[in-house]
Amino acid sequence: MSALWTGAELVAATGGQMPREAAATGVSIDTRSLAPGDLFVALRDARDGHDFVAEALAKGAAAAMVDRDAPGVAPDAPLLRVADTLAALTALGAAGRARSQARFVAVTGSVGKTTTKEMLRTALGALGPTHAAAASYNNHWGVPLTLARCPRDSRFAVVEIGMNNRGEIAPLAKLARPHVAVITMIGTSHIGRLGSQAAICEEKADILLGLERNGVAVLPADSAFLPRLADRAAAAGARVISFGETARADVQLTDYVGGADRGTARLLMDGLPLSVHLAAPGHHLALNACAVLAAVHALEGDVVAAAEALSAFDAGAGRGQRVKLALPGGAALLLDDSYNAAPVSVRAGLAVLAAQQATRRVAVLGDMLELGEAGPALHAELAPDAAAAADLVFCCGPQMRHLFDALPAAKRGAHAPDSAALAPLVAAAFAPGDAVLVKGSLGSRMAAVVAAIRARDTAGMTT
Ligand SMILES: Nc1ncnc2c1ncn2[C@@H]1O[C@H](COP(=O)(O)OP(=O)(O)O)[C@@H](O)[C@H]1O
Ligand SMILES: [Mg+2]
């Protein structure tokens, strides 16, 4: 197999110097997940990657990209010296995109980016070799890294593009140059930084600025922002394929039948009826499937084969993963949705909780972050949904206090200042027959609650 990057290609793409030329089979920015043969890129984030170059080389890195001397590294080590490692990684990403023959799909939106990206990986994977971003790699280093990792022989590539602030999506979209751009939805995530939903809409629409000629915009038909998004698509010279429940949608979700652990969606696509069986529950996944099939259609792929492939899709850890637990007195179910939370996804998670067969349904909710001034109201407004879906609600964080106080007294489990304080209370209350949903923004560290619940398991089994 030919290398992902030859030494000469690395030098040409980055403008760096590599006295001892070495080829790389992969690209890594983290020694914990580095594979032998990878190019290790020393980025600066919470830590300075230069402090890990010696470790990377000891673990078998083919070479390391650096912009300063790294401690404990031999003078003759295989180093690629560049002026700035982040800029050089971006250049390598651009080179990976430029040489690729793959059809690129880029995904943005307030909620559902990673889920849609993973569904695209599954659906397009049935049609040809497909490369997709790892994890939620969607920012100024995640997008270049995804592009730099794109294998030479990929037929399809899926890039996730996110933002925390205005102006972040456009440069990443121009780097990824997608043939198809998907906007999952315009919600309220990060409204604290952006100011308004209209501003969020404009920011998300910036993904269209990166579209290739004759590109396609896959847009949410149920959104009040569809007209504005369609205008932006027209300005970018893109064709629109809309998806959603409205009869106006090009790809319409006509029916969804959800069970406790699966669901079936019926779609109409240009008049063609399609069924999609999903191995994970949730109306929201059916909508994501519509966006995915719209993208496959835009790429002129086989939508029937892609729809069939989606039956293998399963939500990952932290995104609604179902964990069956054995407690001393019987079985219980954990819905691990601890990775992220925004109002729309909390409602989606609560709907899945409501669909569970259980003696008692329990919701454990941590703060939804970065909602700014709107935060207290957006939390309190979820109280009726939480009370309807759950028999008991546990909350942590100052924002969730607003939801907790708005609950009927009989539904109140406990409120704690943070997840570490809440975790033992939830673990102690957890009983056989329970179904427990754990959800909150990553910064709310709800993984601590998941860990405390899982610690009560006597067998440990993931379904
Ligand atoms: N279309 C959707 N509507 C509502 N919630 C969704 C949707 N798609 C995914 N979710 C839920 O939102 C949360 C975040 O999903 P994720 O795909 O990681 O979003 P992102 O990558 O945009 O942060 C998860 O709990 C997921 O189950
Ligand atoms: Mg994500």
Side-chain angles (χ1 to χ4, degrees):
M1 215 182 74
S2 59
L4 178 67
W5 293 104
T6 65
E9 286 169 337
L10 289 173
V11 168
T14 62
Q17 292 188 333
M18 202 178 202
R20 243 185 81 192
E21 251 186 37
T25 49
V27 183
S28 167
I29 57 163
D30 189 332
T31 50
R32 288 166 298 182
S33 52
L34 180 129
D38 281 352
L39 168 73
F40 176 72
V41 180
L43 292 180
R44 282 175 202 81
D45 201 42
R47 319 266 305 258
D48 184 344
H50 291 84
D51 295 336
F52 297 88
V53 169
E55 187 186 328
L57 294 170
K59 281 188 85 178
M65 187 204 282
V66 297
D67 60 27
R68 67 167 175 87
D69 287 333
V73 173
D76 64 340
L79 295 179
L80 171 59
R81 290 185 179 278
V82 299
D84 178 274
T85 49
L86 179 59
L89 176 64
T90 306
L92 191 61
R97 174 64 188 90
R99 76 176 180 186
S100 179
Q101 300 296 308
R103 308 282 287 166
F104 279 72
V105 183
V107 183
T108 193
S110 297
V111 164
K113 293 180 292 296
T114 300
T115 309
T116 303
K117 181 259 296 178
E118 287 302 321
M119 290 175 99
L120 279 163
R121 185 204 295 274
T122 303
L124 292 170
L127 309 182
T130 299
H131 171 65
S136 216
Y137 285 7
N138 64 22
N139 62 3
H140 61 286
W141 56 260
V143 173
L145 182 61
T146 300
L147 297 172
R149 284 175 167 176
C150 188
R152 294 174 194 270
D153 63 352
S154 292
R155 237 185 96 197
F156 302 104
V158 190
V159 182
E160 177 174 334
I161 300 184
M163 61 101 193
N164 292 314
N165 294 291
R166 186 78 178 105
E168 290 178 354
I169 288 183
L172 299 177
K174 288 174 185 168
L175 193 66
R177 287 168 36 215
H179 301 91
V180 178
V182 178
I183 299 179
T184 59
M185 74 171 65
I186 306 299
T188 50
S189 311
H190 306 293
I191 198 163
R193 301 257 183 89
L194 277 276
S196 69
Q197 253 189 309
I200 292 173
C201 173
E202 296 306 325
E203 176 65 16
K204 300 296 177 188
D206 279 356
I207 195 172
L208 305 168
L209 299 174
L211 273 175
E212 288 281 82
R213 270 164 62 90
N214 302 320
V216 178
V218 173
L219 304 178
D222 301 325
S223 169
F225 291 96
L226 179 67
R228 179 62 192 151
L229 292 173
D231 281 351
R232 293 283 312 267
R239 181 161 67 93
V240 172
I241 302 183
S242 66
F243 70 94
E245 290 185 283
T246 163
R248 291 187 311 274
D250 298 312
V251 179
Q252 188 195 353
L253 178 65
T254 53
D255 187 38
Y256 174 74
V257 182
D261 62 353
R262 60 196 60 247
T264 299
R266 288 191 211 292
L267 279 59
L268 264 184
M269 178 179 263
D270 279 348
L272 169 79
L274 267 179
S275 281
V276 185
H277 302 280
L278 294 161
H283 181 262
H284 60 294
L285 295 182
L287 276 173
N288 295 346
C290 291
V292 165
L293 294 177
V296 172
H297 185 56
L299 294 170
E300 293 167 9
D302 180 341
V303 287
V304 175
E308 263 168 35
L310 281 177
S311 64
F313 174 79
D314 197 2
R319 287 191 183 74
Q321 189 180 50
R322 307 165 63 77
V323 186
K324 278 192 185 150
L325 300 170
L327 302 187
L333 178 72
L334 165 67
L335 300 170
D336 175 5
D337 215 346
S338 59
Y339 183 73
N340 215 338
V344 59
S345 67
V346 171
R347 287 200 171 87
L350 288 169
V352 171
L353 177 65
Q356 302 308 311
Q357 305 280 344
T359 352
R360 205 171 54 153
R361 293 178 197 84
V362 182
V364 186
L365 304 173
D367 281 357
M368 305 180 288
L369 301 176
E370 298 190 12
L371 294 175
E373 286 174 7
L378 288 170
H379 282 76
E381 281 165 17
L382 284 174
D385 304 79
D391 300 297
L392 204 54
V393 183
F394 289 84
C395 295
C396 61
Q399 297 275 324
M400 274 296 166
R401 182 86 229 179
H402 298 279
L403 188 156
F404 192 75
D405 288 344
L407 288 171
K411 300 271 177 168
R412 290 185 197 154
H415 178 275
D418 55 31
S419 66
L422 187 67
L425 306 179
V426 173
F430 191 45
D434 282 354
V436 185
L437 167 75
V438 181
K439 192 150 183 71
S441 284
L442 191 58
S444 297
R445 303 176 192 277
M446 299 307 284
V449 176
V450 168
I453 290 174
R454 293 191 79 144
R456 297 226 14 229
D457 184 23
T458 54
M461 199 175 109
T462 304
T463 63

